[in-house]
Amino acid sequence: MSSNSVSSGLLIAPIQLNIYLGLLIYVTGVLGSIGNIIIYRSRSLRDRACSVYLFWRSVVDFIYMNSILLARILQKGFKIPIMTRYEFLFKIRQFGSSYVNQLAFTFLALATLDRIFLAHRSPGLRRWGNPNGKCEAQPGFYAYFDNIFGAIVTCLFPMVVLTILGILIGRSVHRVAQRRRVVPAVTNGGGTHAEQSAIQKMDVQLTIMLFLDIFVAMISFLPYAVNLIYGNITGNWSKSALQVAWENIIGEIINLLSYTFFSTSFYVSIISLTGFRDQLLRAIRLKKPKIMIHSRTGITTNKTAPIQ
């Protein structure tokens, strides 16, 4: 096959990617967002500042999936010209794709800062950590500016911020581990010690979960930023039809995979939080809740309550 001949399979591949890979990310993302909303509004988590931020991030993820990704699947996959036919939908999607995703980054950053403050030695900082036609840009300078803006503001800047927060939260985990080795193993009252240990365990698991979220954000958006910069640099280069076809396929894969940041937070929680699955089952009434009972001897026991 010559460099200028392109098979029909390569030409149709971007459409198939938007349908099948796009729908996979959409379905898992919507279900994951609903699961997160249920969990973070549960009685045991809703009073934590970190959980409040993660709850609102899940709401943003749900909106993003149903406005930005769904419109992409319909427009580019099923060839339903909703954004071309309805200009207001195109404007809403353009605004959302540039700014709504920043809300998800912001809530993740705030949740990470909450964990960093809670792990700090300073009591003052710890108090801060626990408060109760063609649908595209017009050609020319604006298209160039739009791509640079998307690469720097939408992708690279959040990545720099999250990288710094990831380093800080890693140090926080190290400090917490050191303090736990220093604190005596026995405290006044067996029940109180057991409760404090459970709280510390949950805090460490939340920290690990946020660290994984930051990692997912990086692998989701760094290729997207690189692809935008590459498109700006090579936009006026002479390319064969075969090279253009392959670049379109790779570009569609990178664009679709950037949505994994909004669709995977629920599954990251399941992996990193040992009690997350139990809490989900209790929230949807598939598992009986446990009641903590303190005896006069200070021994804490668990009893299973009947499901109402």
Side-chain angles (χ1 to χ4, degrees):
M1 182 172 57
S2 67
S3 60
N4 290 320
S5 61
V6 183
S7 68
S8 59
L10 286 177
L11 293 176
I12 202 174
I15 299 175
Q16 299 298 319
L17 283 169
N18 277 284
I19 293 176
Y20 296 108
L21 181 58
L23 282 176
L24 175 63
I25 296 174
Y26 172 76
V27 172
T28 56
V30 169
L31 293 178
S33 298
I34 294 172
N36 272 339
I37 291 171
I38 293 173
I39 290 299
Y40 291 125
R41 292 305 296 167
S42 63
R43 185 174 300 176
S44 61
L45 290 175
R46 63 189 175 194
D47 293 330
R48 293 172 176 266
C50 178
S51 299
V52 174
Y53 296 137
L54 294 175
F55 166 79
W56 284 109
R57 183 211 159 172
S58 301
V59 173
V60 172
D61 289 346
F62 182 82
I63 295 173
Y64 200 86
M65 289 286 106
N66 285 282
S67 58
I68 310 302
L69 179 56
L70 182 59
R72 180 189 183 88
I73 294 171
L74 295 175
Q75 179 85 16
K76 293 195 171 185
F78 293 100
K79 297 299 180 181
I80 302 175
I82 57 171
M83 289 182 290
T84 307
R85 185 179 300 169
Y86 304 105
E87 186 178 356
F88 74 95
L89 289 179
F90 166 66
K91 292 180 178 179
I92 291 174
R93 188 182 186 278
Q94 283 294 98
F95 177 84
S97 62
S98 297
Y99 299 103
V100 173
N101 63 339
Q102 299 304 305
L103 288 175
F105 282 122
T106 301
F107 286 127
L108 177 58
L110 290 173
T112 306
L113 281 173
D114 176 71
R115 296 294 96 190
I116 293 172
F117 286 149
L118 285 177
H120 205 275
R121 294 179 181 179
S122 170
L125 287 177
R126 286 202 298 272
R127 283 195 297 270
W128 273 97
N130 190 24
N132 285 331
K134 226 182 177 182
C135 189
E136 60 183 16
Q138 295 180 2
F141 174 77
Y142 179 76
Y144 180 81
F145 170 79
D146 185 61
N147 283 337
I148 292 296
F149 177 87
I152 296 176
V153 178
T154 306
C155 302
L156 295 181
F157 179 73
M159 291 302 98
V160 171
V161 173
L162 291 179
T163 299
I164 295 172
L165 292 176
I167 294 172
L168 292 176
I169 202 171
R171 292 179 178 177
S172 298
V173 172
H174 182 67
R175 285 199 298 267
V176 170
Q178 286 182 327
R179 286 209 301 269
R180 292 183 69 180
R181 287 194 295 267
V182 173
V183 173
V186 179
T187 60
N188 295 329
T192 302
H193 176 64
E195 291 172 0
Q196 290 297 323
S197 298
I199 292 173
Q200 289 178 352
K201 183 179 179 181
M202 174 63 75
D203 286 340
V204 170
Q205 290 178 351
L206 283 171
T207 301
I208 294 173
M209 183 198 70
L210 291 170
F211 194 83
L212 291 176
D213 267 331
I214 291 173
F215 176 75
V216 171
M218 289 181 177
I219 63 176
S220 296
F221 281 94
L222 281 179
Y224 182 77
V226 171
N227 188 51
L228 286 178
I229 295 173
Y230 172 81
N232 273 335
I233 294 174
T234 65
N236 295 322
W237 291 8
S238 177
K239 302 177 183 179
S240 67
L242 182 61
Q243 182 180 353
V244 171
W246 276 111
E247 287 184 358
N248 287 337
I249 293 173
I250 295 172
E252 291 297 332
I253 293 174
I254 291 175
N255 288 334
L256 289 169
L257 290 181
S258 67
Y259 291 93
T260 56
F261 171 72
F262 305 96
S263 65
T264 56
S265 60
F266 175 74
Y267 309 101
V268 169
S269 300
I270 288 179
I271 293 172
S272 54
L273 296 176
T274 56
F276 194 89
R277 290 184 295 272
D278 290 340
Q279 188 64 46
L280 176 63
L281 293 175
R282 294 190 189 105
I284 59 178
R285 303 292 184 176
L286 292 180
K287 188 172 184 179
K288 297 179 180 180
K290 291 183 178 179
I291 301 176
M292 305 297 289
I293 300 177
H294 300 278
S295 65
R296 293 182 179 179
T297 60
I299 300 174
T300 304
T301 57
N302 292 331
K303 290 188 69 176
T304 301
I307 297 178
Q308 301 296 329

